[in-house]
Structure formats: structure tokens, C-alpha cells
């Protein structure tokens, strides 16, 4: 089997939904019009239940198959980005400063295509639970859905998602067991000294040499303390201090980001940043406040669920079009929270040589929608075969 025939026949419809969503992008948790569009389509398809207002503007649909069985979760994200759409397409964004530049319009259309097929055919046991979430780019809508209890409420036992992949061969699947995308943390370090006249440094506590020492010390976290085979990024991205050449500033603010895959290494890096800040403060005789905040955790594929998802991908795309050892990425993804709650897998679906996600000229490639929708549908049919099948 390649792409499911019936789903290939939905290609124009999926493209039309996708282009409508592309022209009307919404941000973060404010995906209400998108959610209304999704819910209206789901009701047209005759799914069994449509639940709106989950994580503010998320939608959950339940499709019952034939006979008793477990529940499988399929997820798509619906939100756009706060940037101008320079794609130059006929379906360009109608809202200045908002663009579907990450292809979540395509993810939503693919899951709608799978929903239409599954509601028509019902060639599976148990239930398919479709999770349309807001706020992937900003706010962690997937986390809010998990916190609101969607996994327990709908009895979901395993969960799957995908992301389009610019630069990967069109229609190919790419993933890996274990960590695929990084955990993201941010830190803000405020060096509190005592300002004064630049000609009288001895009457001040200068935060700039202390801040410089701090930045230098932070470099050793990756270069000297970490196992060279363990991925870790510690990037200082901001250093703000001072307003005049003849004034010693009272404080300096240093900010940056930490990216990691391993939970223990993540914990250790936070602890070491706090210790290094305390040590530099002691050496320089001033105070350093540490504000460390954790954003999305690492996106980690369950090995068994990934093997199953890759097997289904091979069925759809052919063995040559499935890369099961794609290098992990340092970007982040809030599907990670769903994968923390339930075993599952997340794959990239190549969309060919197009501008990368978050580029102003980016546009989702509608040609891959039947491939992604077929994968979603076959995951359900293969994981929960109908007794009569
Ligand atoms: Zn994005
Ligand atoms: Zn995205």
C-alpha cells in the first residue's frame, strides 16, 4: 500500500482547507476561528464527539471504530507566528504581522483529512482521538491540554504527531528512537553592583568585570564539564550594562538559553549555572540574582512506538523514503509534553526544497498532505485493527 486511495482523493479538499487557514492565521491560545473551522469540518464528517474550548481554543474529536478497543491519540497544532507573510501566494495571510510560517495550517489539514477518512471507513477497533491544539509556538498549548487531563478523559494510551520538514525529500519520513528535539531553558542573571564615577572605581562595585567573568565561566559548562558525546548548548545571547563612558553602571543583566536532551544533564546544568553565579559573586564581592526558567522539555520518542510509526511510514512512503536515524535537532516542540504523558512518536514529513520553517517566504507544500493524512489513518488501523478486518 502507498498513500490510501480515498485520502489521495481528498488532496484538493485538504489543500483548500489548508489555504483557508493560511489566509486567516491566529496566534498562541487565540485560535478560536481556526477551532470553529476545524469543529465545523469534523461535524460535517460525522465524527462521534467534538469537544471545543480545550486549552482555551483547542478541539478534541472522538471517532469510534467497530467494537471495543483502546484509544489512540493523533495530534496537530493550529497556531501561526507573529511575523509578516512574504510567501507571495494566492492564499497569503490576510492579517498583517501574522503568518502560518511553520506549516501548522498543513498539519491541521492533514489531521482533518485523516478524520474524514476514519469517520467514513471506521475500519478499526476502539476509538481514535484527534487533538487539535493551540499555542505550540508560544505558551505550550499541548502542555495545557495534558494538564487539563485529555489523556485520562479520553483514555488515550499512545499518541502520535508529525511536523513538516523543509529540506527533507518530499514525502519522506524522518525520525529516530529516543530524543529527537531538545529541551529549552532560559536564564537571566542580574549582576548587582554599585554604580559611580568612572574615575573612582574604588568607590563602586563594578558589575561589568564580574559579568565578563561570569560569561567566561559559563563557557566551561559545555567545553570542560560535559561528556563530549552528550549534546548541550549554553548560549549567552544578551549582555546589557551601562549608559555612559564616564559612569560605572550599577548593574549588568546577562541572558541566554540552554538546550539539552538528557534530563539529568538539564538538572545539572541549571544547578551549575546557579553555583557559578554564586562563586563569581563571592569573588567580586557583589550579588548575582539567577532567574532560571524551564520551557519545553525534550521531545523523546518511545523506541517501540517509534518502530511501529516507522513501519507504518514505510507502508505509506516506501522503505527508501523512511530515515529512522535522522540527527536530533536543537529546536523544541511542545508535543514533548504529550510524549511525557503517554508513549508515542513524532516524525518529520519532508516537504522538499522549500524555505525553512519561520522564514517569511515559507509555505506548506500541499503535495505532502495525502502522505501525512494516510500515515495518521494507518496508525489507527494498524494499532487497533477491527475484529472483522
Ligand atoms: Zn514553529
Ligand atoms: Zn511548527
Amino acid at each position: 500500500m502507498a498513500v490510501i486511495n480515498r485520502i489521495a482523493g481528498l488532496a484538493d479538499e485538504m489543500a483548500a482547507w489548508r489555504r483557508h487557514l493560511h489566509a486567516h492565521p491566529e496566534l498562541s491560545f487565540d485560535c478560536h476561528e481556526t477551532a470553529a473551522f476545524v469543529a465545523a469540518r469534523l461535524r460535517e464528517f460525522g465524527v462521534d464527539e467534538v469537544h471545543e474550548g480545550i486549552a482555551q481554543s483547542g478541539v478534541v474529536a472522538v471517532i469510534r471504530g467497530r467494537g471495543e478497543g483502546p484509544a489512540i491519540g493523533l495530534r496537530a497544532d493550529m497556531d501561526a507566528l507573529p511575523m509578516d507573510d512574504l510567501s507571495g501566494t494566492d492564499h497569503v495571510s490576510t492579517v498583517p504581522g501574522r503568518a502560518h510560517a511553520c506549516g501548522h495550517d498543513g498539519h491541521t489539514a492533514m489531521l482533518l483529512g485523516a478524520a474524514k477518512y476514519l469517520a467514513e471507513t471506521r475500519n478499526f477497533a476502539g476509538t481514535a482521538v484527534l487533538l487539535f491544539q493551540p499555542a505550540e509556538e508560544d505558551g505550550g498549548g499541548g502542555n495545557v491540554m495534558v494538564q487539563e487531563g485529555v489523556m485520562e478523559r479520553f483514555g488515550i494510551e499512545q499518541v502520535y504527531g508529525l511536523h513538516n520538514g523543509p529540506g527533507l525529500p518530499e514525502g519522506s519520513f524522518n525520525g529516530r528512537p529516543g530524543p529527537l528535539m531538545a529541551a529549552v531553558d532560559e536564564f537571566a542573571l542580574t549582576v548587582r553592583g554599585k554604580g559611580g564615577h568612572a574615575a573612582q572605581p574604588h568607590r563602586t562595585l563594578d558589575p561589568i568585570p564580574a559579568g565578563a567573568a561570569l560569561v567566561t565561566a559559563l563557557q566551561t559548562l559545555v567545553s570542560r564539564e560535559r561528556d563530549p558525546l552528550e549534546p548541550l548548548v549554553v548560549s549567552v545571547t544578551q549582555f546589557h550594562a551601562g549608559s555612559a563612558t564616564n559612569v560605572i553602571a550599577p548593574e549588568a543583566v546577562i541572558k541566554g538559553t540552554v538546550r539539552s536532551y538528557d534530563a539529568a544533564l538539564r538538572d545539572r546544568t541549571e544547578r551549575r549555572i546557579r553555583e557559578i553565579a554564586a562563586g563569581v559573586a563571592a569573588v567580586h564581592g557583589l550579588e548575582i540574582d539567577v532567574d532560571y526558567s524551564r520551557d519545553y522539555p525534550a521531545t523523546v520518542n518511545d523506541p517501540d512506538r517509534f518502530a511501529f510509526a516507522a513501519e507504518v511510514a514505510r507502508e505509506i512512503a516506501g522503505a527508501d523514503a523512511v530515515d529512522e536515524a535522522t540527527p536530533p535537532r536543537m529546536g523544541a516542540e511542545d508535543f514533548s509534553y504529550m510524549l511525557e504523558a503517554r508513549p508515542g512518536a513524532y516524525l518529520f514529513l519532508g516537504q522538499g526544497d522549500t524555505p525553512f520553517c519561520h522564514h517569511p517566504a515559507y509555505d506548506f507544500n500541499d503535495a505532502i498532505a495525502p502522505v501525512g493524512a494516510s500515515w495518521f489513518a494507518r496508525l489507527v488501523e494498524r494499532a487497533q485493527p477491527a475484529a472483522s478486518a
Side-chain angles (χ1 to χ4, degrees):
M1 186 188 278
V3 165
I4 297 172
N5 278 336
R6 173 63 186 133
I7 290 180
L10 299 177
D12 289 348
E13 223 173 338
M14 285 190 282
W17 299 331
R18 204 281 294 179
R19 291 172 184 194
H20 170 82
L21 296 174
H22 190 97
H24 303 93
E26 294 181 289
L27 302 180
S28 194
F29 285 101
D30 186 18
C31 284
H32 296 283
E33 286 178 30
T34 306
F37 179 88
V38 165
R41 297 292 81 69
L42 292 166
R43 291 194 176 98
E44 284 170 11
F45 305 158
V47 307
D48 296 287
E49 299 170 22
V50 178
H51 302 269
E52 296 176 77
I54 306 220
Q56 297 182 41
S57 58
V59 180
V60 176
V62 175
I63 305 172
R64 278 189 273 281
R66 300 181 204 158
E68 292 297 303
I72 181 171
L74 306 174
R75 170 272 202 177
D77 39 16
M78 303 191 291
D79 58 321
L81 286 157
M83 58 189 281
D84 285 326
D85 182 348
L86 305 181
S87 63
T89 58
D90 291 343
H91 49 273
V92 69
S93 173
T94 58
V95 188
R98 288 189 204 170
H100 261 298
C102 205
H104 299 182
D105 49 347
H107 304 164
T108 300
M110 286 191 278
L111 192 53
L112 282 174
K116 183 165 186 175
Y117 168 84
L118 290 169
E120 272 177 11
T121 54
R122 308 208 182 228
N123 191 23
F124 60 95
T127 54
V129 182
L130 282 49
L131 307 160
F132 294 90
Q133 71 150 87
E136 192 286 321
E137 298 288 0
D138 174 41
N143 185 30
V144 176
M145 275 190 155
V146 170
Q147 297 302 322
E148 289 184 4
V150 288
M151 298 299 169
E152 297 78 12
R153 181 177 171 188
F154 298 100
I156 296 167
E157 295 185 5
Q158 52 183 328
V159 66
Y160 297 88
L162 59 70
H163 204 290
N164 71 90
L168 297 168
E170 182 177 305
S172 69
F173 287 91
N174 307 263
R176 59 183 289 113
L180 180 66
M181 300 187 79
V184 177
D185 300 337
E186 290 180 351
F187 57 84
L189 311 173
T190 305
V191 184
R192 297 193 194 286
K194 196 173 108 189
H197 201 292
Q200 297 183 319
H202 58 292
R203 294 178 181 274
T204 73
L205 282 173
D206 191 345
I208 288 181
L214 184 54
V215 171
T216 304
L218 291 174
Q219 306 311 308
T220 62
L221 286 173
V222 172
S223 66
R224 302 289 81 191
E225 292 194 14
R226 168 211 52 151
D227 179 337
L229 299 179
E230 279 270 4
L232 179 69
V233 172
V234 178
S235 287
V236 175
T237 53
Q238 297 182 43
F239 191 139
H240 301 285
S243 58
T245 52
N246 57 357
V247 176
I248 289 173
E251 68 176 36
V253 177
I254 294 159
K255 295 184 180 182
T257 184
V258 175
R259 308 284 168 115
S260 61
Y261 296 114
D262 181 77
L265 182 60
R266 187 186 197 189
D267 290 344
R268 180 191 152 82
T269 303
E270 176 180 351
R271 177 171 57 79
R272 288 294 293 142
I273 286 175
R274 294 181 184 282
E275 288 171 357
I276 288 170
V280 170
V283 167
H284 289 261
L286 37 65
E287 287 179 13
I288 301 177
D289 294 344
V290 178
D291 181 5
Y292 193 99
S293 61
R294 294 183 172 215
D295 203 342
Y296 298 168
T299 303
V300 181
N301 282 330
D302 176 80
D304 291 342
R305 296 299 87 206
F306 173 76
F308 167 68
E311 190 182 310
V312 174
R314 282 195 296 274
E315 179 190 316
I316 303 295
D320 293 346
V322 179
D323 178 359
E324 295 184 45
T326 202
R329 298 185 178 191
M330 278 296 172
E333 164 60 63
D334 92 335
F335 188 62
S336 52
Y337 291 103
M338 294 191 184
L339 287 176
E340 281 190 338
R342 292 293 183 272
Y346 186 78
L347 273 68
F348 294 107
L349 172 58
Q351 76 154 15
D353 188 15
T354 72
F356 206 76
C357 293
H358 297 204
H359 188 283
Y362 171 92
D363 190 34
F364 179 79
N365 178 359
D366 289 306
I368 66 170
V371 181
S374 295
W375 180 72
F376 276 133
R378 284 298 284 162
L379 285 171
V380 178
E381 293 178 343
R382 294 276 307 268
Q384 299 171 190
S388 58

